[in-house]
Structure formats: structure tokens, C-alpha cells
Short mmCIF file of all heavy atoms in Angstrom, two decimals:
data_model
loop_
_atom_site.label_atom_id
_atom_site.label_comp_id
_atom_site.label_asym_id
_atom_site.label_seq_id
_atom_site.Cartn_x
_atom_site.Cartn_y
_atom_site.Cartn_z
N MET A 1 0.84 -1.18 0.00
CA MET A 1 0.00 0.00 0.00
C MET A 1 0.88 1.24 0.00
O MET A 1 1.77 1.38 0.84
CB MET A 1 -0.88 -0.03 1.24
CG MET A 1 -1.75 1.18 1.39
SD MET A 1 -2.98 0.92 2.67
CE MET A 1 -2.48 2.15 3.83
N ASN A 2 0.67 2.13 -0.92
CA ASN A 2 1.42 3.38 -0.98
C ASN A 2 0.74 4.44 -0.13
O ASN A 2 -0.46 4.64 -0.25
CB ASN A 2 1.51 3.88 -2.42
CG ASN A 2 2.44 3.04 -3.24
OD1 ASN A 2 3.36 2.44 -2.70
ND2 ASN A 2 2.21 2.98 -4.53
N LEU A 3 1.50 5.08 0.71
CA LEU A 3 0.97 6.16 1.53
C LEU A 3 1.33 7.49 0.89
O LEU A 3 2.45 7.70 0.47
CB LEU A 3 1.56 6.10 2.94
CG LEU A 3 1.22 4.87 3.77
CD1 LEU A 3 1.97 4.92 5.08
CD2 LEU A 3 -0.26 4.79 4.02
N THR A 4 0.37 8.36 0.82
CA THR A 4 0.64 9.70 0.32
C THR A 4 1.26 10.51 1.45
O THR A 4 1.11 10.16 2.62
CB THR A 4 -0.66 10.37 -0.16
OG1 THR A 4 -1.52 10.53 0.96
CG2 THR A 4 -1.33 9.57 -1.24
N PRO A 5 1.95 11.60 1.13
CA PRO A 5 2.55 12.40 2.19
C PRO A 5 1.55 12.86 3.25
O PRO A 5 1.89 12.98 4.41
CB PRO A 5 3.14 13.59 1.44
CG PRO A 5 3.39 13.07 0.06
CD PRO A 5 2.29 12.07 -0.19
N SER A 6 0.31 13.09 2.88
CA SER A 6 -0.67 13.55 3.85
C SER A 6 -1.07 12.45 4.83
O SER A 6 -1.51 12.74 5.93
CB SER A 6 -1.90 14.11 3.15
OG SER A 6 -2.50 13.10 2.39
N THR A 7 -0.96 11.20 4.42
CA THR A 7 -1.34 10.11 5.32
C THR A 7 -0.15 9.44 5.97
O THR A 7 -0.31 8.66 6.89
CB THR A 7 -2.16 9.04 4.57
OG1 THR A 7 -1.39 8.53 3.51
CG2 THR A 7 -3.47 9.60 4.06
N LYS A 8 1.04 9.74 5.48
CA LYS A 8 2.24 9.13 6.06
C LYS A 8 2.50 9.74 7.43
O LYS A 8 2.44 10.94 7.62
CB LYS A 8 3.44 9.39 5.16
CG LYS A 8 4.68 8.61 5.58
CD LYS A 8 5.90 8.99 4.77
CE LYS A 8 5.69 8.70 3.32
NZ LYS A 8 6.88 8.98 2.53
N ARG A 9 2.81 8.90 8.37
CA ARG A 9 3.10 9.37 9.72
C ARG A 9 4.54 9.86 9.75
O ARG A 9 5.47 9.08 9.55
CB ARG A 9 2.89 8.23 10.69
CG ARG A 9 2.97 8.66 12.10
CD ARG A 9 2.62 7.53 13.00
NE ARG A 9 2.25 8.11 14.26
CZ ARG A 9 1.55 7.50 15.16
NH1 ARG A 9 1.10 6.31 14.93
NH2 ARG A 9 1.27 8.08 16.29
N ILE A 10 4.71 11.12 10.06
CA ILE A 10 6.05 11.73 10.06
C ILE A 10 6.77 11.42 11.37
O ILE A 10 7.92 11.04 11.37
CB ILE A 10 5.95 13.24 9.83
CG1 ILE A 10 5.41 13.51 8.43
CG2 ILE A 10 7.32 13.90 10.00
CD1 ILE A 10 5.09 14.95 8.16
N LEU A 11 6.08 11.61 12.49
CA LEU A 11 6.68 11.39 13.80
C LEU A 11 6.04 10.19 14.49
O LEU A 11 4.85 9.95 14.35
CB LEU A 11 6.48 12.63 14.68
CG LEU A 11 7.10 13.92 14.20
CD1 LEU A 11 6.66 15.07 15.11
CD2 LEU A 11 8.61 13.82 14.17
N SER A 12 6.85 9.48 15.25
CA SER A 12 6.32 8.36 16.03
C SER A 12 5.51 8.92 17.21
O SER A 12 5.58 10.12 17.53
CB SER A 12 7.46 7.50 16.57
OG SER A 12 8.16 8.19 17.60
N PHE A 13 4.78 8.05 17.85
CA PHE A 13 3.98 8.46 19.00
C PHE A 13 4.87 9.04 20.10
O PHE A 13 4.55 10.07 20.69
CB PHE A 13 3.18 7.26 19.53
CG PHE A 13 2.30 7.60 20.69
CD1 PHE A 13 1.17 8.38 20.51
CD2 PHE A 13 2.60 7.14 21.96
CE1 PHE A 13 0.36 8.71 21.59
CE2 PHE A 13 1.79 7.46 23.04
CZ PHE A 13 0.67 8.24 22.86
N SER A 14 6.01 8.40 20.37
CA SER A 14 6.94 8.88 21.40
C SER A 14 7.48 10.25 21.05
O SER A 14 7.61 11.13 21.92
CB SER A 14 8.10 7.91 21.58
OG SER A 14 7.64 6.68 22.04
N GLU A 15 7.80 10.46 19.79
CA GLU A 15 8.32 11.76 19.35
C GLU A 15 7.26 12.84 19.52
O GLU A 15 7.56 13.95 19.97
CB GLU A 15 8.79 11.66 17.90
CG GLU A 15 10.00 10.77 17.73
CD GLU A 15 10.27 10.33 16.31
OE1 GLU A 15 9.40 10.52 15.43
OE2 GLU A 15 11.36 9.78 16.07
N GLN A 16 6.02 12.51 19.20
CA GLN A 16 4.93 13.46 19.38
C GLN A 16 4.73 13.78 20.86
O GLN A 16 4.51 14.94 21.22
CB GLN A 16 3.63 12.92 18.80
CG GLN A 16 3.62 12.88 17.29
CD GLN A 16 2.36 12.22 16.75
OE1 GLN A 16 1.70 11.46 17.44
NE2 GLN A 16 2.04 12.52 15.51
N GLN A 17 4.83 12.77 21.71
CA GLN A 17 4.68 12.98 23.15
C GLN A 17 5.74 13.94 23.67
O GLN A 17 5.44 14.85 24.44
CB GLN A 17 4.80 11.66 23.91
CG GLN A 17 3.59 10.79 23.86
CD GLN A 17 3.79 9.54 24.70
OE1 GLN A 17 4.79 8.84 24.55
NE2 GLN A 17 2.85 9.27 25.58
N VAL A 18 6.98 13.72 23.27
CA VAL A 18 8.09 14.56 23.72
C VAL A 18 7.86 16.01 23.28
O VAL A 18 7.97 16.94 24.07
CB VAL A 18 9.44 14.02 23.23
CG1 VAL A 18 10.55 15.04 23.44
CG2 VAL A 18 9.78 12.71 23.93
N LEU A 19 7.52 16.21 22.02
CA LEU A 19 7.28 17.56 21.52
C LEU A 19 6.10 18.21 22.24
O LEU A 19 6.15 19.40 22.56
CB LEU A 19 7.03 17.54 20.01
CG LEU A 19 8.25 17.32 19.14
CD1 LEU A 19 7.85 17.17 17.68
CD2 LEU A 19 9.25 18.45 19.30
N GLN A 20 5.06 17.45 22.49
CA GLN A 20 3.89 17.98 23.19
C GLN A 20 4.27 18.43 24.59
O GLN A 20 3.89 19.53 25.03
CB GLN A 20 2.77 16.94 23.24
CG GLN A 20 1.49 17.46 23.84
CD GLN A 20 0.84 18.54 23.01
OE1 GLN A 20 0.78 18.44 21.79
NE2 GLN A 20 0.35 19.58 23.64
N LEU A 21 5.02 17.61 25.31
CA LEU A 21 5.43 17.97 26.67
C LEU A 21 6.32 19.20 26.68
O LEU A 21 6.16 20.08 27.53
CB LEU A 21 6.15 16.78 27.33
CG LEU A 21 5.25 15.63 27.74
CD1 LEU A 21 6.08 14.45 28.21
CD2 LEU A 21 4.27 16.06 28.82
N ILE A 22 7.23 19.31 25.73
CA ILE A 22 8.09 20.49 25.65
C ILE A 22 7.23 21.72 25.36
O ILE A 22 7.42 22.78 25.97
CB ILE A 22 9.18 20.31 24.58
CG1 ILE A 22 10.17 19.23 25.03
CG2 ILE A 22 9.92 21.63 24.33
CD1 ILE A 22 11.15 18.80 23.97
N SER A 23 6.27 21.59 24.46
CA SER A 23 5.42 22.73 24.12
C SER A 23 4.55 23.16 25.30
O SER A 23 4.14 24.31 25.38
CB SER A 23 4.54 22.41 22.91
OG SER A 23 3.51 21.52 23.25
N GLU A 24 4.30 22.24 26.23
CA GLU A 24 3.52 22.55 27.43
C GLU A 24 4.39 23.08 28.56
O GLU A 24 3.88 23.37 29.64
CB GLU A 24 2.75 21.32 27.88
CG GLU A 24 1.66 20.90 26.91
CD GLU A 24 1.03 19.57 27.26
OE1 GLU A 24 1.43 18.94 28.26
OE2 GLU A 24 0.13 19.15 26.51
N GLY A 25 5.70 23.16 28.34
CA GLY A 25 6.58 23.75 29.33
C GLY A 25 7.39 22.78 30.16
O GLY A 25 8.09 23.21 31.08
N CYS A 26 7.31 21.50 29.87
CA CYS A 26 8.13 20.53 30.62
C CYS A 26 9.60 20.71 30.24
O CYS A 26 9.93 20.96 29.09
CB CYS A 26 7.73 19.10 30.28
SG CYS A 26 6.31 18.52 31.18
N SER A 27 10.45 20.57 31.23
CA SER A 27 11.89 20.66 30.97
C SER A 27 12.40 19.31 30.47
O SER A 27 11.75 18.27 30.64
CB SER A 27 12.64 21.05 32.25
OG SER A 27 12.62 19.98 33.17
N ILE A 28 13.58 19.34 29.89
CA ILE A 28 14.21 18.12 29.39
C ILE A 28 14.47 17.15 30.54
O ILE A 28 14.44 15.94 30.35
CB ILE A 28 15.52 18.46 28.63
CG1 ILE A 28 15.20 19.29 27.39
CG2 ILE A 28 16.31 17.23 28.27
CD1 ILE A 28 14.30 18.61 26.38
N GLU A 29 14.69 17.66 31.73
CA GLU A 29 14.93 16.80 32.89
C GLU A 29 13.64 16.14 33.37
O GLU A 29 13.67 15.06 33.95
CB GLU A 29 15.54 17.61 34.04
CG GLU A 29 16.95 18.11 33.77
CD GLU A 29 16.99 19.35 32.87
OE1 GLU A 29 15.99 20.09 32.78
OE2 GLU A 29 18.04 19.57 32.24
N GLU A 30 12.49 16.78 33.16
CA GLU A 30 11.21 16.24 33.62
C GLU A 30 10.65 15.17 32.68
O GLU A 30 9.96 14.26 33.13
CB GLU A 30 10.17 17.37 33.74
CG GLU A 30 10.48 18.37 34.82
CD GLU A 30 9.54 19.56 34.77
OE1 GLU A 30 9.21 20.04 33.67
OE2 GLU A 30 9.14 20.00 35.86
N ILE A 31 10.93 15.29 31.40
CA ILE A 31 10.32 14.41 30.41
C ILE A 31 10.62 12.92 30.66
O ILE A 31 9.70 12.10 30.61
CB ILE A 31 10.69 14.84 28.98
CG1 ILE A 31 10.04 16.20 28.70
CG2 ILE A 31 10.26 13.81 27.95
CD1 ILE A 31 10.46 16.85 27.42
N PRO A 32 11.86 12.53 30.93
CA PRO A 32 12.10 11.10 31.19
C PRO A 32 11.32 10.57 32.39
O PRO A 32 10.87 9.43 32.38
CB PRO A 32 13.61 11.01 31.45
CG PRO A 32 14.18 12.22 30.81
CD PRO A 32 13.12 13.27 30.92
N VAL A 33 11.12 11.42 33.38
CA VAL A 33 10.36 11.01 34.57
C VAL A 33 8.89 10.82 34.21
O VAL A 33 8.27 9.82 34.57
CB VAL A 33 10.51 12.06 35.70
CG1 VAL A 33 9.65 11.71 36.89
CG2 VAL A 33 11.97 12.19 36.10
N VAL A 34 8.34 11.77 33.45
CA VAL A 34 6.93 11.71 33.07
C VAL A 34 6.65 10.52 32.16
O VAL A 34 5.66 9.80 32.33
CB VAL A 34 6.50 13.03 32.38
CG1 VAL A 34 5.10 12.92 31.78
CG2 VAL A 34 6.59 14.20 33.34
N LEU A 35 7.54 10.28 31.19
CA LEU A 35 7.31 9.22 30.20
C LEU A 35 7.98 7.89 30.56
O LEU A 35 7.89 6.93 29.80
CB LEU A 35 7.81 9.67 28.82
CG LEU A 35 7.09 10.87 28.21
CD1 LEU A 35 7.69 11.22 26.86
CD2 LEU A 35 5.60 10.60 28.09
N LEU A 36 8.63 7.85 31.71
CA LEU A 36 9.33 6.65 32.17
C LEU A 36 10.38 6.18 31.16
O LEU A 36 10.42 5.02 30.75
CB LEU A 36 8.34 5.52 32.49
CG LEU A 36 7.27 5.85 33.52
CD1 LEU A 36 6.26 4.71 33.63
CD2 LEU A 36 7.89 6.16 34.87
N LEU A 37 11.22 7.11 30.75
CA LEU A 37 12.30 6.84 29.79
C LEU A 37 13.64 7.08 30.45
O LEU A 37 13.75 7.84 31.42
CB LEU A 37 12.20 7.80 28.59
CG LEU A 37 10.94 7.83 27.78
CD1 LEU A 37 10.98 8.98 26.79
CD2 LEU A 37 10.77 6.52 27.05
N SER A 38 14.67 6.49 29.90
CA SER A 38 16.01 6.83 30.35
C SER A 38 16.42 8.12 29.65
O SER A 38 15.91 8.43 28.56
CB SER A 38 17.00 5.71 30.02
OG SER A 38 17.36 5.77 28.66
N PRO A 39 17.33 8.87 30.23
CA PRO A 39 17.82 10.09 29.58
C PRO A 39 18.43 9.80 28.20
O PRO A 39 18.33 10.61 27.29
CB PRO A 39 18.86 10.63 30.54
CG PRO A 39 18.46 10.09 31.88
CD PRO A 39 17.87 8.73 31.58
N TYR A 40 19.03 8.63 28.06
CA TYR A 40 19.64 8.27 26.77
C TYR A 40 18.57 8.02 25.70
O TYR A 40 18.76 8.37 24.54
CB TYR A 40 20.54 7.04 26.94
CG TYR A 40 21.63 7.27 27.95
CD1 TYR A 40 21.59 6.64 29.19
CD2 TYR A 40 22.68 8.15 27.68
CE1 TYR A 40 22.59 6.87 30.14
CE2 TYR A 40 23.67 8.38 28.62
CZ TYR A 40 23.62 7.74 29.84
OH TYR A 40 24.59 7.98 30.77
N THR A 41 17.47 7.43 26.11
CA THR A 41 16.37 7.22 25.17
C THR A 41 15.81 8.56 24.73
O THR A 41 15.52 8.76 23.55
CB THR A 41 15.26 6.36 25.80
OG1 THR A 41 15.82 5.11 26.19
CG2 THR A 41 14.11 6.14 24.84
N LEU A 42 15.69 9.49 25.66
CA LEU A 42 15.21 10.83 25.32
C LEU A 42 16.16 11.51 24.33
O LEU A 42 15.71 12.14 23.38
CB LEU A 42 15.04 11.69 26.57
CG LEU A 42 14.55 13.11 26.30
CD1 LEU A 42 13.20 13.11 25.59
CD2 LEU A 42 14.50 13.91 27.58
N GLU A 43 17.45 11.35 24.54
CA GLU A 43 18.43 11.92 23.60
C GLU A 43 18.23 11.36 22.20
O GLU A 43 18.28 12.10 21.21
CB GLU A 43 19.86 11.61 24.06
CG GLU A 43 20.38 12.49 25.15
CD GLU A 43 21.83 12.16 25.48
OE1 GLU A 43 22.60 11.77 24.59
OE2 GLU A 43 22.18 12.28 26.67
N THR A 44 17.98 10.07 22.11
CA THR A 44 17.75 9.43 20.81
C THR A 44 16.48 9.97 20.17
O THR A 44 16.46 10.27 18.97
CB THR A 44 17.66 7.91 20.97
OG1 THR A 44 18.88 7.42 21.53
CG2 THR A 44 17.39 7.22 19.65
N ILE A 45 15.43 10.11 20.96
CA ILE A 45 14.17 10.63 20.44
C ILE A 45 14.37 12.06 19.94
O ILE A 45 13.90 12.42 18.85
CB ILE A 45 13.06 10.55 21.51
CG1 ILE A 45 12.69 9.09 21.76
CG2 ILE A 45 11.84 11.37 21.09
CD1 ILE A 45 11.76 8.88 22.94
N GLU A 46 15.07 12.88 20.71
CA GLU A 46 15.34 14.26 20.29
C GLU A 46 16.13 14.30 18.99
O GLU A 46 15.84 15.11 18.10
CB GLU A 46 16.11 15.02 21.37
CG GLU A 46 15.30 15.35 22.59
CD GLU A 46 16.14 16.06 23.64
OE1 GLU A 46 17.38 15.98 23.60
OE2 GLU A 46 15.54 16.68 24.51
N HIS A 47 17.12 13.44 18.88
CA HIS A 47 17.92 13.36 17.66
C HIS A 47 17.04 12.99 16.47
O HIS A 47 17.15 13.60 15.39
CB HIS A 47 19.06 12.35 17.84
CG HIS A 47 19.83 12.11 16.59
ND1 HIS A 47 20.77 13.00 16.11
CD2 HIS A 47 19.79 11.08 15.70
CE1 HIS A 47 21.26 12.53 14.97
NE2 HIS A 47 20.69 11.36 14.71
N ASN A 48 16.18 12.01 16.65
CA ASN A 48 15.30 11.57 15.57
C ASN A 48 14.32 12.68 15.16
O ASN A 48 14.05 12.86 13.97
CB ASN A 48 14.53 10.31 15.98
CG ASN A 48 15.43 9.11 16.08
OD1 ASN A 48 16.53 9.08 15.53
ND2 ASN A 48 14.99 8.11 16.82
N ILE A 49 13.81 13.40 16.13
CA ILE A 49 12.90 14.52 15.84
C ILE A 49 13.63 15.56 15.00
O ILE A 49 13.12 16.02 13.97
CB ILE A 49 12.37 15.16 17.14
CG1 ILE A 49 11.41 14.21 17.86
CG2 ILE A 49 11.69 16.50 16.85
CD1 ILE A 49 11.05 14.65 19.27
N SER A 50 14.82 15.94 15.44
CA SER A 50 15.59 16.96 14.72
C SER A 50 15.91 16.52 13.30
O SER A 50 15.83 17.30 12.36
CB SER A 50 16.87 17.29 15.48
OG SER A 50 16.57 17.92 16.69
N LYS A 51 16.23 15.26 13.16
CA LYS A 51 16.55 14.73 11.84
C LYS A 51 15.32 14.74 10.93
O LYS A 51 15.39 15.16 9.77
CB LYS A 51 17.10 13.31 11.98
CG LYS A 51 17.61 12.70 10.71
CD LYS A 51 18.23 11.35 10.98
CE LYS A 51 18.68 10.68 9.69
NZ LYS A 51 19.24 9.35 9.95
N LYS A 52 14.20 14.28 11.45
CA LYS A 52 12.97 14.21 10.65
C LYS A 52 12.44 15.59 10.27
O LYS A 52 11.90 15.77 9.19
CB LYS A 52 11.89 13.43 11.41
CG LYS A 52 12.16 11.96 11.48
CD LYS A 52 11.08 11.26 12.27
CE LYS A 52 11.33 9.76 12.36
NZ LYS A 52 10.25 9.07 13.11
N LEU A 53 12.58 16.55 11.18
CA LEU A 53 12.05 17.89 10.92
C LEU A 53 13.11 18.85 10.39
O LEU A 53 12.82 20.02 10.16
CB LEU A 53 11.40 18.45 12.19
CG LEU A 53 10.18 17.68 12.71
CD1 LEU A 53 9.61 18.36 13.94
CD2 LEU A 53 9.13 17.53 11.62
N ASN A 54 14.33 18.35 10.23
CA ASN A 54 15.42 19.16 9.70
C ASN A 54 15.65 20.42 10.53
O ASN A 54 15.65 21.54 10.02
CB ASN A 54 15.18 19.50 8.23
CG ASN A 54 16.43 19.98 7.55
OD1 ASN A 54 17.53 19.61 7.93
ND2 ASN A 54 16.27 20.81 6.54
N THR A 55 15.80 20.21 11.84
CA THR A 55 16.05 21.31 12.76
C THR A 55 17.29 21.00 13.59
O THR A 55 17.73 19.85 13.66
CB THR A 55 14.86 21.54 13.71
OG1 THR A 55 14.62 20.35 14.46
CG2 THR A 55 13.61 21.92 12.93
N TYR A 56 17.84 22.04 14.22
CA TYR A 56 19.01 21.85 15.06
C TYR A 56 18.63 21.84 16.54
O TYR A 56 19.13 21.05 17.31
CB TYR A 56 20.05 22.93 14.76
CG TYR A 56 21.37 22.70 15.45
CD1 TYR A 56 22.25 21.72 15.00
CD2 TYR A 56 21.72 23.44 16.56
CE1 TYR A 56 23.46 21.49 15.64
CE2 TYR A 56 22.93 23.21 17.21
CZ TYR A 56 23.79 22.24 16.74
OH TYR A 56 24.98 22.01 17.38
N TYR A 57 17.75 22.74 16.91
CA TYR A 57 17.32 22.86 18.30
C TYR A 57 15.95 22.25 18.48
O TYR A 57 15.09 22.35 17.61
CB TYR A 57 17.29 24.33 18.73
CG TYR A 57 18.63 25.00 18.67
CD1 TYR A 57 18.93 25.90 17.66
CD2 TYR A 57 19.61 24.72 19.62
CE1 TYR A 57 20.17 26.51 17.60
CE2 TYR A 57 20.86 25.32 19.56
CZ TYR A 57 21.12 26.21 18.56
OH TYR A 57 22.35 26.80 18.49
N ILE A 58 15.71 21.66 19.65
CA ILE A 58 14.43 21.03 19.92
C ILE A 58 13.32 22.07 19.98
O ILE A 58 12.18 21.80 19.58
CB ILE A 58 14.49 20.15 21.20
CG1 ILE A 58 13.29 19.20 21.28
CG2 ILE A 58 14.59 21.00 22.45
CD1 ILE A 58 13.28 18.12 20.25
N THR A 59 13.61 23.27 20.44
CA THR A 59 12.60 24.32 20.47
C THR A 59 12.17 24.70 19.05
O THR A 59 11.00 25.00 18.81
CB THR A 59 13.09 25.56 21.23
OG1 THR A 59 14.35 25.96 20.69
CG2 THR A 59 13.24 25.28 22.71
N GLU A 60 13.12 24.68 18.14
CA GLU A 60 12.82 24.94 16.74
C GLU A 60 11.93 23.82 16.19
O GLU A 60 10.99 24.06 15.42
CB GLU A 60 14.11 25.03 15.94
CG GLU A 60 13.93 25.34 14.48
CD GLU A 60 15.25 25.33 13.71
OE1 GLU A 60 16.30 24.97 14.29
OE2 GLU A 60 15.21 25.69 12.53
N ALA A 61 12.18 22.60 16.62
CA ALA A 61 11.38 21.46 16.18
C ALA A 61 9.94 21.59 16.69
O ALA A 61 9.00 21.25 15.97
CB ALA A 61 12.00 20.16 16.67
N VAL A 62 9.77 22.08 17.90
CA VAL A 62 8.43 22.28 18.45
C VAL A 62 7.67 23.29 17.59
O VAL A 62 6.52 23.06 17.21
CB VAL A 62 8.48 22.76 19.92
CG1 VAL A 62 7.11 23.21 20.40
CG2 VAL A 62 9.01 21.66 20.82
N GLN A 63 8.32 24.40 17.26
CA GLN A 63 7.67 25.42 16.42
C GLN A 63 7.31 24.86 15.05
O GLN A 63 6.20 25.09 14.55
CB GLN A 63 8.58 26.63 16.27
CG GLN A 63 8.78 27.40 17.56
CD GLN A 63 9.83 28.48 17.43
OE1 GLN A 63 10.63 28.49 16.51
NE2 GLN A 63 9.83 29.40 18.38
N LYS A 64 8.22 24.12 14.46
CA LYS A 64 7.97 23.56 13.14
C LYS A 64 6.85 22.52 13.20
O LYS A 64 6.00 22.46 12.30
CB LYS A 64 9.25 22.94 12.58
CG LYS A 64 9.18 22.63 11.12
CD LYS A 64 10.55 22.32 10.57
CE LYS A 64 10.51 22.14 9.06
NZ LYS A 64 11.84 21.88 8.52
N ALA A 65 6.82 21.71 14.25
CA ALA A 65 5.77 20.70 14.40
C ALA A 65 4.41 21.36 14.55
O ALA A 65 3.40 20.85 14.03
CB ALA A 65 6.07 19.81 15.60
N ARG A 66 4.35 22.48 15.23
CA ARG A 66 3.08 23.22 15.36
C ARG A 66 2.61 23.72 13.99
O ARG A 66 1.44 23.58 13.65
CB ARG A 66 3.24 24.40 16.31
CG ARG A 66 3.21 24.04 17.74
CD ARG A 66 3.25 25.27 18.60
NE ARG A 66 3.25 24.92 20.00
CZ ARG A 66 3.83 25.64 20.93
NH1 ARG A 66 4.45 26.75 20.62
NH2 ARG A 66 3.77 25.26 22.18
N VAL A 67 3.52 24.29 13.23
CA VAL A 67 3.17 24.80 11.91
C VAL A 67 2.67 23.67 11.01
O VAL A 67 1.74 23.85 10.22
CB VAL A 67 4.39 25.51 11.26
CG1 VAL A 67 4.15 25.83 9.81
CG2 VAL A 67 4.72 26.78 12.05
N MET A 68 3.28 22.51 11.16
CA MET A 68 2.92 21.34 10.34
C MET A 68 1.73 20.56 10.92
O MET A 68 1.36 19.52 10.39
CB MET A 68 4.12 20.41 10.20
CG MET A 68 5.30 21.04 9.50
SD MET A 68 6.77 19.99 9.54
CE MET A 68 6.27 18.67 8.43
N ASN A 69 1.15 21.07 12.01
CA ASN A 69 0.03 20.41 12.69
C ASN A 69 0.36 18.98 13.13
O ASN A 69 -0.48 18.08 13.02
CB ASN A 69 -1.22 20.42 11.82
CG ASN A 69 -1.79 21.80 11.66
OD1 ASN A 69 -1.80 22.59 12.59
ND2 ASN A 69 -2.21 22.11 10.45
N LEU A 70 1.57 18.78 13.61
CA LEU A 70 1.98 17.46 14.09
C LEU A 70 1.74 17.30 15.59
O LEU A 70 1.74 16.20 16.10
CB LEU A 70 3.45 17.21 13.77
CG LEU A 70 3.81 17.23 12.29
CD1 LEU A 70 5.32 17.10 12.09
CD2 LEU A 70 3.08 16.11 11.56
N ILE A 71 1.60 18.43 16.26
CA ILE A 71 1.28 18.40 17.71
C ILE A 71 0.17 19.40 17.97
O ILE A 71 -0.11 20.25 17.19
CB ILE A 71 2.49 18.70 18.60
CG1 ILE A 71 3.09 20.05 18.29
CG2 ILE A 71 3.49 17.60 18.53
CD1 ILE A 71 4.10 20.53 19.31
#
């Protein structure tokens, strides 16, 4: 089955959760506690988000995700 860009999922559920929490004001230190993740897993998720959205900073990724209606 071919997915069109509009139906293709850009971010995973975990990536969306992380961006949502950041947009709500959670700090990077709070997110692993809230989502029960290791700090290393969070680093990987942040890296994947930045790569997928072509951003350098996670705050920039949050802004871009909002514009793209991903969160």
C-alpha cells in the first residue's frame, strides 16, 4: 500500500509525546520522569525529531511541528 505524504506518519507516538510535553513547558529533565524513559532514550528521540524535521534545536522542532500540525 502506498501512503501519500498527507497520510504518512512523520513522527512516532513517542516523538509526538516529547514535543507535546516540551510545548507545554516541561523541561528536558522532567520528560524522562513523566514518560518513564532513560535520559539516553530521550536523547535518541530528540535526535530523531531533529533529523525528521530538519532542525538543530528542539525548540525549533516544536515550532515547526506546530506549523505542520503534528502536535
Side-chain angles (χ1 to χ4, degrees):
M1 177 169 116
N2 288 332
L3 296 176
T4 64
S6 61
T7 59
K8 189 186 299 183
R9 188 174 200 160
I10 295 172
L11 298 174
S12 71
F13 182 71
S14 297
E15 293 163 348
Q16 289 175 338
Q17 283 183 308
V18 168
L19 285 174
Q20 186 65 43
L21 288 172
I22 292 170
S23 73
E24 292 172 0
C26 278
S27 70
I28 296 299
E29 293 78 23
E30 293 172 319
I31 293 171
V33 175
V34 172
L35 297 179
L36 303 174
L37 302 171
S38 78
Y40 302 109
T41 301
L42 180 59
E43 280 183 34
T44 301
I45 291 171
E46 288 178 341
H47 174 77
N48 291 340
I49 291 169
S50 293
K51 186 175 177 182
K52 288 178 180 181
L53 297 181
N54 196 28
T55 59
Y56 187 74
Y57 298 105
I58 195 68
T59 52
E60 182 184 6
V62 169
Q63 292 172 343
K64 194 167 185 178
R66 281 185 181 149
V67 170
M68 298 173 70
N69 291 321
L70 299 175
I71 58 168

